[in-house]
Amino acid sequence: MTVSSALRPLSLLLLASTLTLCLPSIASTTIAPQLVSPLSHSAPGPRSSHWLHKQSSTLRLRGGAEEDEDLFADDANDDEAKDEMKARAEAAKGAKAKDVKVAKTNMILDVKGWDETTDLKKLEEEIRKIEMDGLVWGASGLEEVGYGIKKLRITVVVEDDKVSVDELEEKITELEDYVQSVDVVTMNKI
């Protein structure tokens, strides 16, 4: 027995133990299935001259079979898998959309009429006719400015993504017969 043939079983044992230690999840089951320690002098199995037991042209992984799936081959189920992934992604988006809180702003507006003869009750009715998606009118009241002139103070809640404050002010000021100016008194994020 030469030195190289004596070291061959030891090197194969080292290879098998390295695979098992470094890659425990994919360690090969066909490398010396009945491997014994090279220090013992018993034969490794029915084929004592072979430390590697070759059952097919490829090495099988733990738990695998000879008909193992080729990981690099085209699969007819790819389209089904893609459709399933898309459905999961859309479901996740829907779940996120339900969890997202809508950003809202609570504002108090002061709407001033032209003079003391301006009908502020009629002005309030005209303002409440303004409808936009994401706009909710709240409480209102009349406040004294001075010299018999009053202003309308009205509360409004808007969804930030749907209603622009500038657009809302513009729509109110379009009521030129009633409105002299619109001022934002307070603006609080909800």
Side-chain angles (χ1 to χ4, degrees), residues 34 39 52 72 83 107 159 167 189:
Q34 298 150 354
L39 299 176
L52 285 177
F72 299 104
D83 291 341
M107 297 186 298
E159 290 183 24
E167 185 180 348
K189 298 288 182 183

Side-chain angles (χ1 to χ4, degrees), residues 31-61:
I31 297 178
Q34 298 150 354
L35 189 63
V36 293
S37 170
L39 299 176
S40 69
H41 298 289
S42 61
R47 298 180 185 180
S48 60
S49 62
H50 299 285
W51 279 87
L52 285 177
H53 181 47
K54 188 174 180 181
Q55 293 180 352
S56 66
S57 61
T58 60
L59 294 177
R60 291 183 293 145
L61 298 179

Side-chain angles (χ1 to χ4, degrees), residues 25-30 55-56 58-71:
S25 63
I26 59 170
S28 173
T29 59
T30 59
Q55 293 180 352
S56 66
T58 60
L59 294 177
R60 291 183 293 145
L61 298 179
R62 182 182 302 161
E66 286 188 21
E67 308 82 44
D68 273 341
E69 180 178 323
D70 186 5
L71 298 177

Side-chain angles (χ1 to χ4, degrees), residues 109-114 117-131 135-143 150-156 168 171-173 175 177-182:
L109 303 175
D110 275 350
V111 183
K112 297 175 189 151
W114 287 107
T117 61
T118 304
D119 186 7
L120 295 178
K121 294 291 183 186
K122 181 70 173 163
L123 172 61
E124 182 183 352
E125 290 174 14
E126 293 297 320
I127 289 175
R128 289 188 183 271
K129 287 181 183 177
I130 298 172
E131 292 184 6
L135 174 73
V136 179
W137 294 106
S140 64
L142 300 178
E143 292 192 8
K150 295 184 179 184
K151 65 182 176 183
L152 173 67
R153 183 165 277 186
I154 190 165
T155 305
V156 64
L168 179 61
K171 285 191 176 199
I172 293 172
T173 55
L175 303 170
D177 296 339
Y178 301 103
V179 178
Q180 175 190 3
S181 66
V182 177

